[in-house]
Amino acid sequence: MREGLSVLSSAPVVLDALPLRIDRDEVLRFQGYKKGLDVPTTEILALFDEAVRLGEALMAPRVVYRAIPVTGQYADTLEAGGETLHVPAIGRLWGPLQAVGVGICTVGTAIEERVRRLFDEREFPLAVMLDSVGSAAVESLAEYANDLLCQVAIPEGLRVTNRVSPGYAGWDTAEQQALFRLCPGAPIDVMLNSACVMTPAKTISFMAGIGPEARVDHYFTQCRRCWMAECAYRRAPAAVTVRR
Ligand code: SF4
């Protein structure tokens, strides 16, 4: 667990030196493979190994996080920090909240610069595989951040819900601007333009609900896919190998 990290921190906290889990199935899914149906060739697996080696050397995972007290909560709307966020069914899905936690996660620019160079050099298979490795890595980073918040919240008597992001679960992408006003990406060099495109591209923003009565496990049992190997509060065994 991160010493000194509070899930209710109102000051932005930067987390770095975070672990990544680059899941092969996830990377291949980004390439259009269907698990259990499409079997990757030996060449594809070798390409995956090469892209992972390259990606691990290039990525610098970082997260900026802060919590904002919830001032209003309705069926499809949350109010926090002077912003109104429209997330369908959020009142029912998350239950009563004390705060929202907003995080921005990135693996940095070096990987996309290398992907661009590989395309310029017409190394298309490796370029595409490395791009997918970056996508899977930032996804795993957001997952790790969500799990970490859950773990630090429990001793504080609080629960943390699954994350949602603008552009998913019916939440309008345009509200990315509101999310960035709540938690600017500048401390980790993430920018948002007027079209709601984040730079670096391998970046994920998220919001999670926080509160003693917040509803967890409503999409799926969070502990089953959680990374925290030594969590004293685990409610279910991990379905995949937990990284140690
Ligand atoms: S094992 Fe369960 S309780 Fe522990 S951090 Fe993970 S999701 Fe939270």
Side-chain angles (χ1 to χ4, degrees):
M1 197 195 297
R2 289 262 162 167
E3 293 306 322
L5 173 63
S6 167
V7 77
L8 291 178
S9 175
S10 59
V13 181
V14 173
L15 305 168
D16 53 16
L18 298 167
L20 292 175
R21 177 181 55 202
I22 300 167
D23 181 68
R24 193 179 80 186
D25 290 341
E26 178 87 348
V27 172
L28 294 178
R29 190 176 62 77
F30 281 114
Q31 305 223 335
Y33 281 75
K34 292 189 182 63
K35 196 177 174 184
L37 289 179
D38 299 321
V39 181
T41 63
T42 318
E43 288 75 20
I44 291 292
L45 295 180
L47 199 59
F48 167 77
D49 288 341
E50 186 183 353
V52 168
R53 267 197 307 278
L54 197 53
E56 283 180 337
L58 291 167
M59 291 187 284
R62 288 194 297 169
V63 176
V64 60
Y65 169 81
R66 73 181 284 253
I68 304 98
V70 167
T71 49
Q73 194 180 358
Y74 311 95
D76 304 304
T77 311
L78 280 174
E79 292 170 350
E83 304 290 344
T84 302
L85 305 161
H86 304 88
V87 187
I90 203 67
R92 173 177 61 80
L93 289 171
W94 282 3
L97 302 179
Q98 177 176 339
V100 286
V102 177
I104 300 172
C105 315
T106 188
V107 292
T109 54
I111 190 164
E112 65 195 75
E113 285 161 7
R114 190 59 180 271
V115 167
R116 217 171 296 130
R117 278 217 310 281
L118 286 166
F119 273 116
D120 291 345
E121 293 159 7
R122 307 185 68 77
E123 297 275 0
F124 300 125
L126 184 57
V128 171
M129 189 65 86
L130 186 60
D131 187 69
S132 298
V133 163
S135 299
V138 72
E139 189 64 40
S140 88
L141 180 61
E143 204 169 276
Y144 181 85
N146 200 165
D147 296 342
L148 183 64
L149 295 173
C150 176
Q151 200 183 35
V152 299
I154 293 172
E156 297 180 49
L158 297 165
R159 296 171 172 181
V160 173
T161 69
N162 299 105
R163 64 194 158 96
V164 293
S165 300
Y168 294 88
W171 189 7
D172 194 329
T173 309
E175 292 198 358
Q176 193 75 267
Q177 303 288 355
L179 210 68
F180 269 66
R181 285 192 291 273
L182 293 174
C183 180
I188 55 166
D189 303 315
V190 172
M191 301 301 153
L192 182 71
N193 70 13
S194 57
C196 292
V197 175
M198 294 182 286
T199 312
K202 301 306 180 196
T203 298
I204 288 177
S205 64
F206 72 83
M207 177 173 75
I210 304 167
E213 305 297 329
R215 287 192 62 204
V216 295
D217 299 335
H218 45 286
Y219 300 127
F220 48 81
T221 306
Q222 287 171 235
C223 299
R224 287 202 191 285
R225 65 105 192 90
C226 177
W227 282 39
M228 298 301 160
E230 286 160 17
C231 178
Y233 314 102
R234 183 171 282 284
R235 299 182 293 275
V240 291
T241 308
V242 175
R243 182 169 179 144
R244 289 165 199 280

